[in-house]
């Protein structure tokens, strides 16, 4: 018999046995497996490729931020438990709270013209005084409410990232909304101006002049800002941040614009402080008023195909079918609540902010009934996207997938592994729609426990215009470790079309462990 030496190849397909490569993806025999630990807002398409999936989107964004205007505070309420987890002294007369892509919240104040930002995760809060402890408001006795002793003095809570004043002559911020790049647009009532603030320090990086005083705003799927205009020009205002073109679109002939939101179809909804709310369809420029109880204040839109309107004087919430434009129910909150703000959480529950009772009511839209009522700061008066639901479902649908590349040595177990890896490159096969993108970040360590403690790299991308593969060898610091964790972030493009990630690859060289 003739013996044929076929040779031995590394996982890279070469004779270099130090070279090692791992590739994930259904086309390569390694299909993606998703669970609650490695995927957030991401699912699989029929081919098994990674895509955005709104059903699993942002399950960790489980807070509603409610401004206690009567006491100059902002309450952080866990939407799953109803417990108040923090309360923060704020700038004067807070009334607009808008959650960003990280779950942090921006707060706009009607007195003093200031904007503040509060971080949701204590782990990300800076130790400003360097004493090794993050000093922040928290429920130390576990009673689900924040007492005065559980708060920090104004300016001393280390989870308050900053408080800024966008313009020296502006004393009233009355509109607030986060865009797909995680910057906030703040509307100044007195200056009739929108200012764009960057997320790290709140510096103003852009502005747009308006024909009217902005009362509220929402940013649609295309990045266009829609403003509820009062004073000056009364009605809906459209502002395009790219072209700076500003146009006016009336108000449907029913009352004056107040609460504002965008729905899953791209239509704009306005509550009019009357017994009507109105829908505006940008593609047809048509208004449609919808009748309900008095008086419409805040307005929220939901993936269940309904619009929810806070009706202050009747202490009810109107439930409007977004397709038929019929008010199907008036949900009673109990007398004397006087709801002004309203929002939807990621489990689909509707929250009404009750100004007269200083509470927030949690509503089950399947039964049209209140399932909980929870205390917040005095005289709450909150509009805007106080849970981040609009941002994450309509303005900037996004999701993350995390994978750990790792090698247990040729004998197969981590315990027996006498080598680690010098990681050289990251690659991926992606399909990206117009205006969409993929970004990634990474970290490396020798154990999984150590990996969790390592800081992430800076974001790499977006792809496009950045292209794969990513050359890790050109970095000033080597990327070494038995394990490499990579987080891939996807953001939808025009009309909410999702990117696809067909495969992901990590390549490296086995080196002796020290």
């Amino acid at each position: 018999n003739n013996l044929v030496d076929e040779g031995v190849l590394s996982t890279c397909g070469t004779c270099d046995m130090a070279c090692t490569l791992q590739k994930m993806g259904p086309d390569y025999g390694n299909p993606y497996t998703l669970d609650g630990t490695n995927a957030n807002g991401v699912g699989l398409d029929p081919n098994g490729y990674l895509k955005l999936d709104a059903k699993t989107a942002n399950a960790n964004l489980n807070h509603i931020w409610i401004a206690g205007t009567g006491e100059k505070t902002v309450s952080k309420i866990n939407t799953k438990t109803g417990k108040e987890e923090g309360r923060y002294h704020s700038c004067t007369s807070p009334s607009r709270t808008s959650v960003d892509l990280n779950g942090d919240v921006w707060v706009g104040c009607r007195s003093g013209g200031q904007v503040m930002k509060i971080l949701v995760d204590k782990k990300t809060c800076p130790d400003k005084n360097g004493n090794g402890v993050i000093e922040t408001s928290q429920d130390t006795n576990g009673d689900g409410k924040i007492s005065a002793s559980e708060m920090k003095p104004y300016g001393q809570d280390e989870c308050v990232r900053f408080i800024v004043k966008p313009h020296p002559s502006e004393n009233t911020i009355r509109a607030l909304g986060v865009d797909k790049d995680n910057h906030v647009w703040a509307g100044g009532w007195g200056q009739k101006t929108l200012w764009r603030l960057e997320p790290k320090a709140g510096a103003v990086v852009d502005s747009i002049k308006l024909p009217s005083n902005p009362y509220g705003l929402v940013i649609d799927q295309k990045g266009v800002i829609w403003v509820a205009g009062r004073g000056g020009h009364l009605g809906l205002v459209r502002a395009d941040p790219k072209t700076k073109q500003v146009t006016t679109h009336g108000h449907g002939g029913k009352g004056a614009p107040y609460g504002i939101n965008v729905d899953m179809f791209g239509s704009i909804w306005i509550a009019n402080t009357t017994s009507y709310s109105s829908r505006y369809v940008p593609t047809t420029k048509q208004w449609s008023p919808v009748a309900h109880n008095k008086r419409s204040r805040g307005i929220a839109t939901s993936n269940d195909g309904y619009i929810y309107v806070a009706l202050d004087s009747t202490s009810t919430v109107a439930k409007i079918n977004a397709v038929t434009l019929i008010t199907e129910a008036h949900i009673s909150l109990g007398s004397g609540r006087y709801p002004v703000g309203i929002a939807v959480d990621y489990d689909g529950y509707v929250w009404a902010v009750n100004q007269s009772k200083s509470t927030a009511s949690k509503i089950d839209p399947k039964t049209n009934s209140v399932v909980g009522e929870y205390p917040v700061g005095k005289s709450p008066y909150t509009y805007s996207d106080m849970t981040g639901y609009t941002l994450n479902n309509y303005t900037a649908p996004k999701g993350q997938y995390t994978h750990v590349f790792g090698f247990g040595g040729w004998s197969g177990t981590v315990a027996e592994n006498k080598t680690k890896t010098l990681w050289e490159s990251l690659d991926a096969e992606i399909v990206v729609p117009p205006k969409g993108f993929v970004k990634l970040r990474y970290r490396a360590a020798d154990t999984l426990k150590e990996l969790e403690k390592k800081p992430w790299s800076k974001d790499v991308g977006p792809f496009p215009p950045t292209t794969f593969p990513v050359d890790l060898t050109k970095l000033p610091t080597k990327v070494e470790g038995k394990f490499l964790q990579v987080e891939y972030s996807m953001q939808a493009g025009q009309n909410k079309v999702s990117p696809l990630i067909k495969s992901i690859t990590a390549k490296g060289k086995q080196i002796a462990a020290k």
Side-chain angles (χ1 to χ4, degrees):
N1 293 337
N2 293 327
L3 297 177
V4 179
D5 182 5
E6 297 182 349
V8 179
L9 299 179
S10 72
T11 55
C12 297
T14 69
C15 294
D16 181 3
M17 295 307 297
C19 184
T20 188
L21 178 146
Q22 285 191 343
K23 183 184 286 281
M24 287 291 299
D27 297 337
Y28 300 94
N30 292 313
Y32 299 112
T33 301
L34 308 184
D35 58 42
T37 66
N38 68 355
N40 179 31
V42 169
L44 301 177
D45 80 348
N47 294 315
Y49 302 147
L50 296 173
K51 72 175 185 67
L52 293 172
D53 185 351
K55 294 177 183 177
T56 66
N58 307 295
N60 63 332
L61 295 179
N62 59 343
H63 295 95
I64 183 169
W65 300 79
I66 298 174
T69 306
E71 62 179 36
K72 296 188 290 187
T73 64
V74 177
S75 289
K76 172 187 175 183
I77 307 295
N78 187 305
T79 55
K80 294 183 180 296
T81 65
K83 293 182 178 181
E84 187 179 21
E85 296 182 354
R87 192 182 296 187
Y88 310 85
H89 288 293
S90 72
C91 39
T92 307
S93 193
S95 68
R96 307 295 190 268
T97 58
S98 191
V99 175
D100 73 6
L101 293 169
N102 298 322
D104 302 328
V105 70
W106 295 78
V107 183
C109 287
R110 294 177 301 174
S111 296
Q114 292 176 308
V115 175
M116 67 184 289
K117 184 177 181 180
I118 308 170
L119 304 182
V120 65
D121 189 349
K122 184 179 176 181
K123 296 176 184 176
T124 67
C125 301
D127 181 10
K128 295 180 181 179
N129 60 13
N131 67 352
V133 179
I134 300 301
E135 294 163 333
T136 185
S137 173
Q138 50 194 334
D139 182 17
T140 53
N141 64 6
D143 66 352
K145 297 177 286 186
I146 299 295
S147 63
S149 63
E150 294 171 323
M151 296 176 65
K152 299 300 177 186
Y154 179 77
Q156 295 182 28
D157 193 303
E158 291 181 323
C159 285
V160 175
R161 191 68 184 91
F162 53 72
I163 301 175
V164 296
K165 187 176 173 71
H167 192 277
S169 300
E170 181 57 70
N171 293 315
T172 306
I173 299 298
R174 251 192 170 131
L176 212 61
V178 178
D179 66 20
K180 66 179 181 60
D181 298 316
N182 219 29
H183 289 52
V184 80
W185 285 91
W189 179 267
Q191 298 296 309
K192 296 182 181 178
T193 300
L194 298 176
W195 292 285
R196 188 178 192 233
L197 279 58
E198 54 80 28
K200 292 184 178 180
V204 174
V205 294
D206 202 358
S207 65
I208 302 175
K209 289 291 292 184
L210 299 173
S212 56
N213 306 96
Y215 198 85
L217 68 82
V218 69
I219 303 171
D220 70 14
Q221 292 95 326
K222 298 179 180 179
V224 172
I225 305 171
W226 297 88
V227 180
R230 297 171 70 89
H233 170 82
L234 184 67
L236 180 64
V237 178
R238 180 186 188 275
D240 188 330
K242 290 185 177 179
T243 65
K244 298 298 191 295
Q245 183 183 22
V246 177
T247 52
T248 57
H249 298 265
H251 54 84
K254 299 289 184 180
Y258 208 81
I260 186 170
N261 223 313
V262 62
D263 70 14
M264 61 197 299
F265 307 109
S267 298
I268 306 301
W269 286 81
I270 283 184
N272 296 313
T273 61
T274 65
S275 56
Y276 288 89
S277 292
S278 298
R279 183 190 72 176
Y280 178 76
V281 181
T283 53
T284 64
K285 299 183 179 180
Q286 295 295 310
W287 283 95
S288 300
V290 181
H292 47 55
N293 284 347
K294 294 182 178 179
R295 279 186 336 161
S296 56
R297 300 286 292 274
I299 192 163
T301 60
S302 176
N303 284 332
D304 66 2
Y306 285 92
I307 312 300
Y308 298 94
V309 189
L311 307 175
D312 59 12
S313 60
T314 53
S315 290
T316 58
V317 172
K319 182 179 182 180
I320 300 170
N321 188 307
V323 177
T324 65
L325 303 185
I326 293 173
T327 300
E328 294 187 2
H330 285 97
I331 303 166
S332 176
L333 303 176
S335 63
R337 262 57 181 185
Y338 206 78
V340 290
I342 196 158
V344 179
D345 71 21
Y346 294 97
D347 294 317
Y349 290 95
V350 180
W351 289 76
V353 178
N354 304 316
Q355 189 175 44
S356 294
K357 287 289 186 179
S358 298
T359 60
S361 296
K362 183 178 182 178
I363 300 163
D364 185 346
K366 295 178 181 178
T367 60
N368 295 336
S369 61
V370 175
V371 294
E373 186 171 356
Y374 309 98
V376 296
K378 184 179 179 181
S379 302
Y381 185 89
T382 292
Y383 294 94
S384 304
D385 192 14
M386 63 189 92
T387 60
Y389 186 95
T390 296
L391 171 67
N392 285 281
N393 282 287
Y394 307 137
T395 306
K398 70 178 185 68
Q400 296 88 31
Y401 170 76
T402 303
H403 182 71
V404 177
F405 297 99
F407 302 92
W410 304 119
S411 55
T413 67
V414 174
E416 297 170 359
N417 184 12
K418 297 295 188 287
T419 66
K420 63 179 180 178
T421 303
L422 172 64
W423 299 97
E424 296 175 324
S425 68
L426 294 169
D427 205 350
E429 295 176 277
I430 62 174
V431 179
V432 182
K435 309 298 183 183
F437 60 79
V438 174
K439 293 193 298 186
L440 65 84
R441 59 180 184 168
Y442 58 85
R443 55 188 178 183
D446 284 336
T447 68
L448 295 175
K449 185 172 290 187
E450 182 186 345
L451 194 65
E452 294 178 357
K453 299 177 181 178
K454 279 292 186 77
W456 288 98
S457 69
K458 293 182 179 179
D459 285 343
V460 180
F463 303 86
T466 308
T467 58
F468 285 106
V470 177
D471 189 347
L472 301 178
T473 65
K474 294 183 178 180
L475 300 173
T477 304
K478 292 180 180 180
V479 182
E480 292 182 350
K482 294 177 182 176
F483 298 98
L484 175 71
Q485 186 176 35
V486 187
E487 179 190 80
Y488 301 84
S489 296
M490 294 190 286
Q491 185 162 301
Q494 288 180 342
N495 301 318
K496 297 173 66 175
V497 177
S498 173
L500 296 177
I501 300 181
K502 301 169 72 174
S503 72
I504 58 175
T505 302
K507 179 175 176 288
K509 186 181 293 289
Q510 295 279 15
I511 58 176
K514 296 179 181 179

